[in-house]
């Protein structure tokens, strides 16, 4: 290792730990906010004053398309973190109980699901009742159907194709299903990580075979199989980043990359090359979303190798990352459902973006202290211990 690398980063800091994860989540959250504020749709073009039009599209909306990679980044980081948590929990159970049983696996999934849902329910309880006073009341959104409201409360509105108070909550159905599938994925991963990755890729690109099979009369009569495929198609695209996250965690590949590209110059060269390659892929390939996992790795490496070295910036991103989960759950209410006139009233993209970011951070911090005040966190911790 060069003297420059030693001076910049001691070897003990190479680990992709919780701090590095939060920095990566922080930059992913910033991309998420931009993507949603300036979505590439005609309905959004008149909400703000653009700095430049490119082929009739605001440049802010063009940039928004690339920011969509944030979803794959969050899914990848979820797979990465869940794998490490599973390893730690399995080791603990073997030390304490002598074995790691199927019951232990169910407890692991239950605890992580409850942690996720307690955060979600707190957001739901705070923001959904506001619809009585601002915008469309929740009973109108749910069309007076109790079960629609329950499905949304459980984060499964997208799964059941029922109305939701927040379109961004489609991600809840996806991540819940991935959590439920995780024990099976770990079972395959332990025996052959390559098979798990191959299965994820095969399912993701199964639509290509599906279109060919649909032209055959015998296949078009298999209604149950067609329905099953239609269901899987809503979620298959997120299997690859989740699996890649697990794979990266298993072999500590992010740490290996950092060891190899320890100097600032080499790290910057690697990140710029990867990001430019990913942008080119999104420009020229039709099935762009399928390759977002690679783009997500590039973004995470950029945060890990470059941004984490910048003291004040890395601290700010880390703080955003800590609150990224809860901000994801409520930010759409602020800029889209309840206060769009206020947020877009700042006219230009940069002030709009900064105002929403600051408001979301302050609201998230306020929610943290409210949880402590009413002892909500203690209840959640008690039920997930």
């Amino acid at each position: 290792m060069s003297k420059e690398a030693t001076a910049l980063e001691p070897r003990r800091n190479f680990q992709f730990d919780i701090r590095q994860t939060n920095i990566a989540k922080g930059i992913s959250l910033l991309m998420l906010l931009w993507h949603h504020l300036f979505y590439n749709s005609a309905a959004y073009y008149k909400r703000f004053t653009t700095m430049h039009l490119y082929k009739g599209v605001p440049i802010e909306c063009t940039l928004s398309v690339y920011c969509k990679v944030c979803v794959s980044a969050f899914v990848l980081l979820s797979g990465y973190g869940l794998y490490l948590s599973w390893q730690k929990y399995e080791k603990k159970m073997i030390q304490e109980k002598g074995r790691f049983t199927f019951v232990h696996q169910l407890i692991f999934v239950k605890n992580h699901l409850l942690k996720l849902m307690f955060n979600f329910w707190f957001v739901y309880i705070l923001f959904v009742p506001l619809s009585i006073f601002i915008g469309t009341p929740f009973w109108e959104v749910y069309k007076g159907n109790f079960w629609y409201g329950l499905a949304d409360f459980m984060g499964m509105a997208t799964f059941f194709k029922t109305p939701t108070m927040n379109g961004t909550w489609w991600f809840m159905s996806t991540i819940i299903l991935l959590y439920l599938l995780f024990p099976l994925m770990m079972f395959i991963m332990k025996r052959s990580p390559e098979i798990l990755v191959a299965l994820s890729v095969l399912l993701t690109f199964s639509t290509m075979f599906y279109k060919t099979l649909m032209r055959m009369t015998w296949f078009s009569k298999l209604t149950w199989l067609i329905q099953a495929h239609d269901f899987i198609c809503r979620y298959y695209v997120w299997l690859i980043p989740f699996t890649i996250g697990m794979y990266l965690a298993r072999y500590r590949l992010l740490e290996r990359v950092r060891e190899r590209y320890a100097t600032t110059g080499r790290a910057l060269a690697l990140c710029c090359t990867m990001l430019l390659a990913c942008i080119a892929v999104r420009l020229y390939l039709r099935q762009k979303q399928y390759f977002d996992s690679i783009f997500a790795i590039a973004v995470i490496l950029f945060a890990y190798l470059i941004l984490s070295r910048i003291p004040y910036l890395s601290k700010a991103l880390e703080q955003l990352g800590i609150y990224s989960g809860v901000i994801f759950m409520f930010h759409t209410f602020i800029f889209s459902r309840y206060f769009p006139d206020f947020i877009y009233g700042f006219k230009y993209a940069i002030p709009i973006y900064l105002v929403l970011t600051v408001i979301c951070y302050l609201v998230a911090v306020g929610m943290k202290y409210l949880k402590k005040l009413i002892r909500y966190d203690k209840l959640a911790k008690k039920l997930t211990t």
Side-chain angles (χ1 to χ4, degrees):
M1 189 180 297
S2 69
K3 292 181 180 179
E4 180 188 354
T6 305
L8 279 172
E9 289 287 349
R11 187 177 182 84
R12 60 185 171 82
N13 288 337
F14 277 140
Q15 186 178 3
F16 192 80
D17 54 16
I18 187 65
R19 174 179 177 268
Q20 299 293 346
T21 301
N22 284 328
I23 291 172
K25 285 182 178 179
I27 193 66
S28 300
L29 176 66
L30 291 176
M31 297 176 77
L32 174 72
L33 295 178
W34 188 280
H35 173 61
H36 285 167
L37 276 171
F38 311 110
Y39 194 73
N40 190 16
S41 168
Y44 282 72
Y45 295 170
K46 295 180 180 179
R47 292 188 177 188
F48 61 96
T49 302
T50 183
M51 292 182 288
H52 179 69
L53 283 174
Y54 177 72
K55 294 183 178 180
V57 177
I59 192 71
E60 297 86 351
C61 296
T62 301
L63 178 61
S64 167
V65 175
Y66 293 93
C67 286
K68 190 177 181 180
V69 69
C70 62
V71 182
S72 288
F74 279 123
V75 174
L76 191 153
L77 291 169
S78 295
Y80 190 99
L82 211 58
Y83 180 90
L84 294 181
S85 295
W86 178 284
Q87 274 195 324
K88 184 178 179 181
Y89 183 70
E90 181 178 10
K91 183 179 179 180
K92 180 182 178 182
M93 289 299 101
I94 291 175
Q95 289 176 345
E96 293 181 359
K97 309 292 183 181
R99 56 180 180 166
F100 186 57
T101 66
F102 181 65
V103 174
H104 294 140
Q105 295 177 29
L106 292 179
I107 292 172
F108 175 87
V109 173
K110 183 266 294 183
N111 286 344
H112 279 77
L113 273 176
L114 278 178
K115 287 178 183 178
L116 173 71
M117 295 311 297
F118 267 103
N119 282 328
F120 178 71
W121 289 330
F122 194 73
V123 171
Y124 189 99
I125 292 167
L126 283 181
F127 283 89
V128 170
L130 281 176
S131 66
I132 299 172
F133 312 101
I134 310 171
T136 307
F138 62 85
W139 56 79
E140 289 187 20
V141 173
Y142 298 141
K143 301 175 183 177
N145 191 314
F146 170 79
W147 298 109
Y148 288 173
L150 181 60
D152 207 21
F153 182 73
M154 298 304 296
M156 298 298 284
T158 301
F159 181 88
F160 293 112
K161 294 185 177 180
T162 54
T164 176
M165 286 293 296
N166 190 333
T168 308
W169 288 349
W170 68 265
F171 186 77
M172 292 299 297
S173 294
T174 299
I175 201 66
I176 288 171
L177 288 176
L178 288 173
Y179 274 31
L180 293 174
L181 282 173
F182 189 72
L184 174 60
M185 297 175 76
M186 279 299 298
F187 177 82
I188 301 172
M189 172 70 79
K190 284 185 176 181
R191 284 147 184 82
S192 177
E194 290 72 23
I195 287 180
L196 179 62
V197 174
L199 284 173
S200 300
V201 172
L202 183 63
L203 281 172
T204 298
F205 289 93
S206 63
T207 49
M208 297 180 181
F209 307 104
Y210 180 74
K211 290 176 182 178
T212 302
L213 289 170
M214 279 299 290
R215 298 190 188 101
M216 303 177 183
T217 306
W218 66 270
F219 185 83
S220 62
K221 293 179 180 179
L222 300 176
T223 309
W224 65 271
L225 188 57
I226 293 171
Q227 290 175 344
H229 185 271
D230 290 342
F231 171 77
I232 291 172
C233 278
R234 284 187 270 161
Y235 305 100
Y236 65 84
V237 75
W238 307 116
L239 279 173
I240 289 183
F242 193 78
T243 302
I244 287 178
M246 295 171 63
Y247 192 87
L248 292 175
R250 180 179 178 86
Y251 294 107
R252 297 287 184 175
L253 294 181
L254 294 175
E255 286 91 340
R256 291 185 182 184
V257 170
R258 183 153 189 167
E259 287 183 9
R260 186 169 182 179
Y261 295 88
T263 65
T264 306
R266 295 185 68 184
L268 191 59
L270 172 68
C271 292
C272 288
T273 301
M274 288 188 69
L275 289 170
L276 288 172
C278 291
I279 290 171
V281 166
R282 288 192 66 87
L283 276 172
Y284 297 107
L285 290 185
R286 290 183 178 181
Q287 303 294 346
K288 301 174 182 179
Q289 196 169 341
Y290 294 154
F291 298 90
D292 270 359
S293 299
I294 309 301
F295 203 167
I297 294 174
V299 170
I300 292 168
L301 280 175
F302 183 70
Y304 184 31
L305 302 181
I306 305 299
L307 300 181
S308 65
R309 300 172 187 253
I310 306 172
Y312 293 108
L313 178 60
S314 62
K315 187 64 178 177
L317 290 173
E318 183 183 2
Q319 283 298 305
L320 283 174
I322 290 170
Y323 297 103
S324 60
V326 70
I327 290 175
F328 141 73
M329 293 175 185
F330 73 70
H331 74 280
T332 310
F333 284 108
I334 293 175
F335 84 88
S336 181
R337 182 171 285 276
Y338 295 156
F339 310 108
D341 293 338
F342 172 75
I343 298 298
Y344 287 103
F346 290 88
K347 294 185 180 180
Y348 295 96
I350 300 302
I352 290 171
Y353 181 62
L354 291 176
V355 166
L356 180 65
T357 302
V358 171
I359 289 175
C360 286
Y361 178 75
L362 293 176
V363 170
V365 172
M367 289 172 62
K368 174 185 175 182
Y369 285 105
L370 180 59
K371 285 180 181 179
K372 287 184 178 180
L373 182 65
I374 65 174
R375 299 185 178 182
Y376 186 85
D377 280 342
K378 286 189 175 182
L379 173 63
K381 187 176 181 180
K382 186 176 181 180
L383 293 175
T384 56
T385 299

